[in-house]
Every structure is written in C-alpha cells, then in structure tokens.
Amino acid sequence: MTTPAPADPGTNPAAPVLTLPEELILLTLNPGSGKPMGEAASLAYGVAGAVLAELELQGRIREEHGRVQVVNPLDPADPRLAALLRTLPQAKGRRSGMRARHWVANFDKHVRDTYLDSLVERSVLSRETRRFLGLFPSHRHFPVLPDLVPGVRRRFTLAETAGYPDHRDRLLAALVSAIGLAAALTRNGRPGRTAMKVLRRSEWTAMAVHYNVKKNTSDGDSDGEWLDGGGGDGCGGGCGGGD
C-alpha cells in the first residue's frame, strides 16, 4: 500500500499527511483569495479522479477497458475513501464495473465538498462564507498553516525536477494536466507542460477527468468560477476514459 504524502516532507513536522484528493485541492488553492486556481468545475472532476487514483494506489480498485472494479473491498483507513469505495461495483469479469469517466461525472461535486469539509474539520483549512445577492452561499478556504500551500508546491516542484520518480507524483502531475493547470504549476515551461501531458495520457484516472473537463467546456456547462488563469492544452487521443 502506498503511504499518503506529507505536505512538506522534512521541512515542517506539523504538516498534515495528505491523500491525493487533499493534495490536489491544496496544490491548486490560491491562498490569497481562498479560491481554486482555474475553474471550480474542473477541480471537482480532478478531485474525484484523485480519489480513484488514491484507491488504485492502495490496491482497492483496478481499471479494465475503462471500467472501475473493486478488487479489495476492505475499508481504507480514511473514512471518506471507505465511503466512496462502497459506491463502486465488485469485479465480476473483464467487462464488469462502472465507467471511470461516468463515476467522475456523477461524484465530482460531492467528492470535492466532502474533502473540503474534511480539511476544515481537521483545521487544515479555515472557511469564510459569503452570500451572493444575500441568498447563494459562496465559500473561500484559507490555509491555517501559512506555509502549507507553499510546502505542497515545493514538493510538487521537487518531483518535477526529479522527473516524477514516484507513481504518486506522476498521478498528481497527470491530474494537474487533466484539469488544465499544467502551465500554471510547472517550473519548466513548455517541456514541463509536455511532460505532464504525456503522464495524463498514460493514467486512466487522468484521462477520465480530462474527458469530463473537455465535455463540460464544449457543452458550455461551466459554473463560471475562473481564477488565476488556467486553460487546457488539448484532449489528445486517449481522453475518452476507455470506451
């Protein structure tokens, strides 16, 4: 089983241990505004994909022909992962299971909100709530530890510099590309974006995310919450999540 990553290994012993969905949320958070970089809808797809990636790393699920199957139904230590694992079908043959891209589309906002709530409950993030027109709540999230987000980004940069030697880091980079934030987070310019795109096309979880991001964009079904740039770099041949 892969061990979740500390936010800033060797630098801050108080930094929380993070699962992939939590790491992606913090990596793409603007600590000044309290909002996500890029589009909130894309991040929601990314966080859902990160849950599948974490479950795969822990040996709980596998992908066969674009479909997700549970191969180890024992609950993970993280109660959020355990609850989400129970939404996936048991393996009953090569063509059984739920399509990865459909699960990402169905659970995107639920997963994002679940992990944001958890980070607030654990005092990793604080939450500020405002109401648009006095009716619709809008949340902003700020790191409780001021060096938390910089620490997560330092870890990501170190992984990029080393060529992503760890599978966990490759998954995170692939998801960053899938949600269109490679340009914002790479420290290596065009070669860095290209390296993340290659990883995106090799990871089924990232392909499922990117399929939904592109479909959401083409359908015009955006929630309009853009911040700090972003933007994608093309779908490529494998974004369909494995038809």
Side-chain angles (χ1 to χ4, degrees):
M1 185 180 80
T2 302
T3 302
D8 195 10
T11 305
N12 182 2
V17 175
L18 304 171
T19 58
L20 269 172
E22 293 167 335
E23 196 167 2
L24 185 64
I25 286 172
L26 295 175
L27 181 65
T28 59
L29 179 67
N30 182 327
S33 69
K35 290 191 174 184
M37 301 167 61
E39 190 180 359
S42 296
L43 177 61
Y45 292 133
V47 176
V51 164
L52 296 180
E54 182 71 45
L55 288 171
E56 183 187 35
L57 278 175
Q58 294 191 19
R60 311 291 176 170
I61 63 173
R62 71 183 178 199
E63 180 264 350
E64 289 278 352
H65 303 287
R67 296 179 182 272
V68 186
Q69 304 172 339
V70 176
V71 294
N72 180 355
L74 295 178
D75 282 351
D78 180 355
R80 290 152 293 276
L81 284 176
L84 291 165
L85 179 64
R86 290 192 285 271
T87 69
L88 293 163
Q90 300 279 333
K92 294 180 180 178
R94 295 177 70 244
R95 291 285 181 179
S96 66
M98 176 183 289
R99 290 197 181 278
R101 65 193 193 188
H102 292 168
W103 192 91
V104 167
N106 290 340
F107 286 87
D108 56 337
K109 294 180 178 63
H110 169 71
V111 172
R112 176 195 61 191
D113 293 347
T114 294
Y115 274 95
L116 282 171
D117 288 347
S118 171
L119 289 167
V120 171
E121 290 165 7
R122 291 162 52 199
S123 298
V124 176
L125 296 177
S126 64
R127 174 175 290 162
E128 176 185 295
T129 301
R130 300 178 182 179
R131 291 192 175 273
F132 180 66
L133 298 178
L135 298 173
F136 307 104
S138 174
H139 301 307
R140 300 188 182 204
H141 298 89
F142 300 91
V144 173
L145 297 173
D147 62 344
L148 179 62
V149 169
V152 171
R153 292 189 182 169
R154 278 194 297 272
R155 170 180 147 73
F156 186 76
T157 298
L158 287 171
E160 180 182 40
T161 301
Y164 306 109
D166 184 77
H167 190 195
R168 179 180 210 86
D169 296 324
R170 292 194 295 273
L171 284 165
L172 187 59
L175 291 164
V176 165
S177 178
I179 63 176
L181 288 178
L185 291 170
T186 184
R187 295 297 180 90
N188 198 27
R190 183 182 294 274
R193 298 196 303 273
T194 299
M196 290 190 216
K197 183 191 292 187
V198 170
L199 292 172
R200 182 191 83 210
R201 290 174 172 172
S202 68
E203 298 291 348
W204 63 270
T205 50
M207 289 194 295
V209 169
H210 194 60
Y211 172 87
N212 281 287
V213 170
K214 296 298 289 184
K215 185 176 186 298
N216 183 61
T217 302
S218 63
D219 288 349
D221 186 24
S222 169
D223 62 10
E225 196 170 342
W226 283 91
L227 287 173
D228 293 341
D233 52 8
C235 184
C239 71
D243 271 335

